Amino acid sequence: GGRLADALGQRDVRWSLWLIAVIFVGITPFLVAFCLLNNTVIALTLFVVPATLSAIYFGPSVAVIHGRVPASLRPVASALFILIVTLIGLGFGPITAGALSQYVFASYGADSLRYALVVMQFTALWGALHYYFAGHSLKESPVAA
């Protein structure tokens, strides 16, 4: 992912972040299908795509952050990025999925978690939108090391 982002970024620096947006949009149908399928073999086969691509955002995100802040602030910028990603993903994600399952989709019984997880997959589209807009605001010249 980092190599692809670098290659695309050589042509246009905005593609460093737009690549992430494209990946987030691209993996969403696979994740939705994974949650909705009753066939375990097909579901796990489809899950290979998002499992392979979903972590690609990290390298280009950190690279863009490091290219936009002075060297003395890079450790703090990285730590803040990791803190925010962790708080949102591991802090609010499971709580939100559980709340959706229990309060919104409770009438579906055993399938309530399935539908809650389907709804949660669309947060990737929200994230893609943010990466798309971030790419638009990216300036051509990064901060000097």
Side-chain angles (χ1 to χ4, degrees):
R3 287 185 185 186
L4 181 57
D6 285 347
L8 291 171
Q10 292 298 323
R11 295 180 184 168
D12 185 342
V13 70
R14 297 174 297 178
W15 272 103
S16 298
L17 297 179
W18 288 346
L19 171 66
I20 300 166
V22 169
I23 288 171
F24 282 2
V25 170
I27 66 173
T28 300
F30 289 93
L31 290 167
V32 169
F34 170 76
C35 293
L36 294 177
L37 285 170
N38 288 322
N39 184 311
T40 305
V41 173
I42 295 172
L44 289 175
T45 302
L46 287 176
F47 188 69
V48 168
V49 174
T52 303
L53 298 176
S54 63
I56 287 178
Y57 78 94
F58 198 80
S61 297
V62 172
V64 167
I65 290 169
H66 284 191
R68 295 327 186 247
V69 299
S72 62
L73 295 178
R74 289 178 186 162
V76 174
S78 294
L80 284 173
F81 173 70
I82 293 168
L83 176 69
I84 291 167
V85 167
T86 302
L87 285 176
I88 292 171
L90 297 176
F92 294 121
I95 291 170
T96 304
L100 284 170
S101 175
Q102 186 173 358
Y103 299 114
V104 177
F105 298 107
S107 63
Y108 291 97
D111 286 333
S112 65
L113 184 58
R114 172 190 304 238
Y115 296 119
L117 290 174
V118 167
V119 169
M120 293 296 292
Q121 300 319 309
F122 290 97
T123 60
L125 299 178
W126 185 47
L129 190 64
H130 285 275
Y131 272 100
Y132 175 76
F133 288 136
H136 268 292
S137 66
L138 210 57
K139 297 194 182 350
E140 288 295 326
S141 57
V143 171

